[in-house]
Amino acid sequence: MNAIRLRFLLIAAAVLLMSQTPVPDLWITNLNYIGLFAIASLGVVLLTGVAGLTSFGQAAFVGLGAYASAYISSVQGISPWLGLFLGLAITASVALVLALLTLRMSGHYLPLATIAWALALYYTMSNMEFLGKYDGLLSIPPLSIGSLALTHERAYCLVIWTVALIAAAGVLRLLDSRPGRAIRALHGGSVMAEAMGVSTFGYKVKVFLIAALLASVSGWLFAHFQRAINPSPFSLGKGIEYLFMAVLGGVGSVWGAFTGATVIKLLEDQIQVWLPRFIGTGNYELPVLGAIVVLLLKHAPKGLWPYLEPWLPKLLAIGQRKRDWEAAAALPLRDKPQQGQTLLEVVEVRKVFGGLVAVNDVSFDIKAGEIVGLLGPNGAGKSTTFNLITGVASLSNGRVRLLGEEIGGLPSRLIARRGVSRTFQHVKMLPEMSVLENVALGGYLRSHAGILRSVAGLARDEERRLFREAERQLERVGLREQMHEPAGNLALGQARLMEIARALCADPVLLLLDEPAAGLRHQEKQSLGRVLRQLKGEGMSLLLVEHDMEFVMDLTDRIVVMEFGTKLMEGTPAEVQASPQVRAAYLGMEH
């Protein structure tokens, strides 16, 4: 049986058993709150832990879901089930506006913006007359299923935990999918993801909406479980507490949300019991809780879940991905240009940083099936030129055309759609993902499954096709045996080959390699050279940026040499080797 499915069944069985056995009512109450907190914390895990977007506003979205359903069910007498959809609609609308306003911010500005709008939403809810201001709303009806009203906490326990486990299963399915890999690339891999064709801003908005909707569902359940609400549980302090839960449990793990919710809830209860015995009455619970959380994080910086997981039975351990794609159909291939056709034209491109001219009116072209080297000493402007071609840097002047179509100035994801794929001077990968998954990210544009299809499990055939292609490209570069290893375990030479496999997974018409031999040992350079010769023999068109002249001499058809941002010369490898200008540029010799 699938290990993840078994884990869900065991948790569900434990909750069912506890809710139907004569355990103290306090246990059931705590279990209910843990489930409610875990649903909201799941959104924080997805938003902050996976996508790298720190938010303090999760509690405000819980409040939107709670107040929307509480108002129409208690004041307007409408079914709480309609209240769920109203809450989701209001939350999605508010979250979309906030996402569009704030998610382009970076650094400390984004967390500050989430604090600002969390406070704004809290005080808005607190000052609306029809929502009862600070007193809130009372006499909220319970949820009902048919004619059965859920008036007992044990019945609510089953509903809350059913929703919590469905939410966890959905998030796990999402992360293990095409859009999930794109979401995981947002945290530290945005430049690489854009080069693979991913709209990183679009996925930030989507993750933000998912996190908000999870919070809204938690708020809906909370309102009808409590039967009365006021603004206090939706304050900035509670938003910080949700962040505490995710970080303490393990901010990068779905199960960390459940672990953190459990620990925080039980700590709060125990602090309230024990603290008055030592320091008397007073509002000291939050400072003490904060101090305990800090101490725990000092000794468990990645959260508690990574320490708990090894203690689970081996039966529950998640193994490597099942290799079930042998019979999958191949992904579609794009039309390739005829050999010798002009593929890329770089016309007088220029890049100015302030008063510094980094690239000064450089021009060259590449024919289909040709390997062109872009050489020069360190600081010659090679990588900047490379980034101008791929859209990572913006042109100050000049033009870049691919198969006659203007691509200069386009974002890198749109250039990738036209068939340009690349590697990076410094290897960019997702180290905790497997080598296979990293390479599969390169096939993002060759697949189409979105978030809803992935969560519903309707994209499995496409996933198999994608992993079949990823394995084929790994075999092409000699890394098939390492495909299930975490990418962070690879040596530098293997990591560069993995990057090439990822770029090839996009089925490019032009492959650009940015200093692929940099930092490699002699044997690693030989392995890389064999792969590039194989690609050359298969008719692949390449632009190879290098400063190692010896490495590229027997690989390239033509070489463009740069010095101080200008084009020094262009010719065959033999002509370049014989040029006194090139020798002077590399060795500082007079000529």
Side-chain angles (χ1 to χ4, degrees):
M1 182 182 289
N2 180 280
I4 296 178
R5 187 179 303 166
L6 181 59
R7 183 176 293 172
F8 274 103
L9 290 175
L10 288 179
I11 294 173
V15 172
L16 176 63
L17 182 64
M18 184 176 290
S19 67
Q20 301 304 313
T21 52
V23 297
D25 288 342
L26 178 62
W27 291 22
I28 302 301
T29 301
N30 282 340
L31 198 59
N32 285 336
Y33 281 114
I34 289 168
L36 291 169
F37 294 160
I39 296 169
S41 296
L42 271 174
V44 180
V45 165
L46 191 60
L47 185 64
T48 301
V50 178
L53 304 170
T54 302
S55 173
F56 293 95
Q58 192 73 342
F61 292 130
V62 176
L64 286 178
Y67 267 106
S69 188
Y71 176 76
I72 73 161
S73 60
S74 64
V75 178
Q76 301 297 327
I78 299 174
S79 168
W81 294 97
L82 291 177
L84 169 62
F85 294 107
L86 177 64
L88 291 174
I90 292 174
T91 302
S93 301
V94 173
L96 181 60
V97 172
L98 293 174
L100 295 175
L101 290 174
T102 60
L103 290 184
R104 294 192 188 276
M105 299 178 182
S106 58
H108 59 278
Y109 295 104
L110 177 60
L112 288 175
T114 67
I115 290 174
W117 56 250
L119 289 171
L121 287 174
Y122 169 71
Y123 285 113
T124 299
M125 290 184 287
S126 301
N127 286 282
M128 286 186 170
E129 190 74 42
F130 71 96
L131 295 181
K133 291 191 171 184
Y134 286 94
D135 293 328
L137 297 172
L138 305 175
S139 302
I140 301 171
L143 294 178
S144 59
I145 301 175
S147 60
L148 176 63
L150 303 180
T151 56
H152 200 280
E153 287 196 3
R154 293 176 186 268
Y156 264 104
C157 185
L158 295 178
V159 174
I160 289 170
W161 276 88
T162 297
V163 173
L165 292 177
I166 289 173
V171 173
L172 284 170
R173 273 188 172 177
L174 171 61
L175 294 177
D176 190 27
S177 69
R178 171 187 180 264
R181 287 185 289 275
I183 291 169
R184 290 152 77 182
L186 297 178
H187 196 179
S190 292
V191 174
M192 178 268 290
E194 287 275 338
M196 299 298 107
V198 175
S199 173
T200 53
F201 180 73
Y203 272 105
K204 287 178 181 179
V205 172
K206 292 173 185 176
V207 171
F208 193 83
L209 287 172
I210 294 169
L213 293 175
L214 285 169
S216 184
V217 171
S218 177
W220 171 70
L221 288 167
F222 177 82
H224 295 284
F225 169 61
Q226 288 266 109
R227 307 284 301 279
I229 59 169
N230 63 65
S232 299
F234 317 125
S235 65
L236 176 62
K238 195 64 181 183
I240 295 172
E241 194 171 317
Y242 283 126
L243 192 59
F244 271 179
M245 291 176 193
V247 173
L248 182 61
V251 74
S253 167
V254 166
W255 299 113
F258 289 83
T259 304
T262 302
V263 172
I264 292 292
K265 176 57 182 169
L266 296 182
L267 275 176
E268 286 179 338
D269 286 352
Q270 293 305 308
I271 289 171
Q272 289 175 359
V273 171
W274 289 96
L275 200 58
R277 300 182 183 182
F278 295 98
I279 59 176
T281 59
N283 295 321
Y284 301 110
E285 289 87 353
L286 190 58
V288 172
L289 177 64
I292 294 173
V293 170
V294 170
L295 288 173
L296 287 172
L297 289 177
K298 180 181 178 181
H299 296 286
K302 292 186 178 180
L304 298 175
W305 177 251
Y307 293 92
L308 297 175
E309 192 168 20
W311 293 90
L312 295 173
K314 291 183 178 180
L315 186 62
L316 297 182
I318 300 174
Q320 67 185 30
R321 179 181 294 274
K322 182 181 178 182
R323 187 175 177 273
D324 59 356
W325 51 78
E326 298 96 325
L331 290 174
L333 299 173
R334 72 172 79 240
D335 294 333
K336 298 297 193 300
Q338 294 182 348
Q339 295 290 304
Q341 181 181 353
T342 299
L343 182 60
L344 182 74
E345 297 172 89
V346 179
V347 183
E348 296 182 348
V349 296
R350 185 180 184 87
K351 181 61 180 177
V352 180
F353 295 100
L356 174 67
V357 180
V359 178
N360 188 12
D361 298 337
V362 171
S363 300
F364 60 91
D365 60 34
I366 300 174
K367 303 288 193 293
E370 189 177 38
I371 298 184
V372 173
L374 188 60
L375 264 66
N378 290 330
K382 308 181 301 296
S383 290
T384 303
T385 303
F386 191 93
N387 288 335
L388 292 174
I389 294 170
T390 56
V392 173
S394 59
L395 286 165
S396 299
N397 198 17
R399 292 176 294 169
V400 180
R401 289 192 290 263
L402 181 73
L403 293 171
E405 181 182 2
E406 194 75 36
I407 63 170
L410 292 177
S412 56
R413 69 178 181 276
L414 298 183
I415 294 175
R417 287 184 180 277
R418 286 156 175 79
V420 177
S421 195
R422 64 166 294 176
T423 64
F424 294 86
Q425 183 177 358
H426 303 289
V427 175
K428 295 186 183 299
M429 61 180 175
L430 303 176
E432 294 182 358
M433 275 174 39
S434 70
V435 173
L436 184 71
E437 289 175 302
N438 270 271
V439 174
L441 184 59
Y444 176 83
L445 290 174
R446 301 174 69 186
S447 49
H448 307 285
I451 289 175
L452 291 178
R453 282 186 61 201
S454 299
V455 170
L458 301 177
R460 292 173 183 169
D461 288 342
E462 187 178 80
E463 281 283 286
R464 293 187 186 99
R465 298 173 72 188
L466 193 53
F467 282 110
R468 176 191 171 186
E469 178 68 11
E471 182 182 0
R472 187 175 78 86
Q473 298 301 341
L474 283 169
E475 189 167 17
R476 199 173 180 185
V477 301
L479 287 181
R480 183 179 177 277
E481 297 303 316
Q482 288 80 27
M483 68 179 179
H484 293 300
E485 290 185 22
N489 291 354
L490 296 180
L492 179 58
Q494 292 176 318
R496 292 200 181 279
L497 290 174
M498 184 198 72
E499 269 206 317
I500 293 173
R502 185 179 63 206
L504 290 171
C505 200
D507 186 32
V509 297
L510 176 63
L511 178 61
L512 289 82
L513 307 180
D514 193 357
E515 300 200 20
L520 300 190
R521 297 187 297 269
H522 179 68
Q523 286 186 335
E524 291 175 324
K525 284 186 180 182
Q526 286 184 322
S527 298
L528 175 62
R530 284 193 294 270
V531 171
L532 297 183
R533 289 186 192 93
Q534 175 189 342
L535 295 176
K536 180 179 179 180
E538 295 172 1
M540 177 63 70
S541 307
L542 288 98
L543 175 62
L544 186 63
V545 174
E546 261 299 339
H547 67 270
D548 188 335
M549 186 183 297
E550 182 182 354
F551 176 73
V552 301
M553 279 302 155
D554 61 342
L555 291 173
T556 54
D557 299 297
R558 284 185 298 116
I559 294 176
V560 177
V561 183
M562 293 182 66
E563 182 185 24
F564 300 122
T566 62
K567 179 179 173 180
L568 187 63
M569 72 162 293
E570 180 177 348
T572 64
E575 290 171 340
V576 169
Q577 274 187 313
S579 169
Q581 290 178 302
V582 174
R583 289 201 300 271
Y586 269 84
L587 303 176
M589 296 166 26
E590 295 287 339
H591 64 280

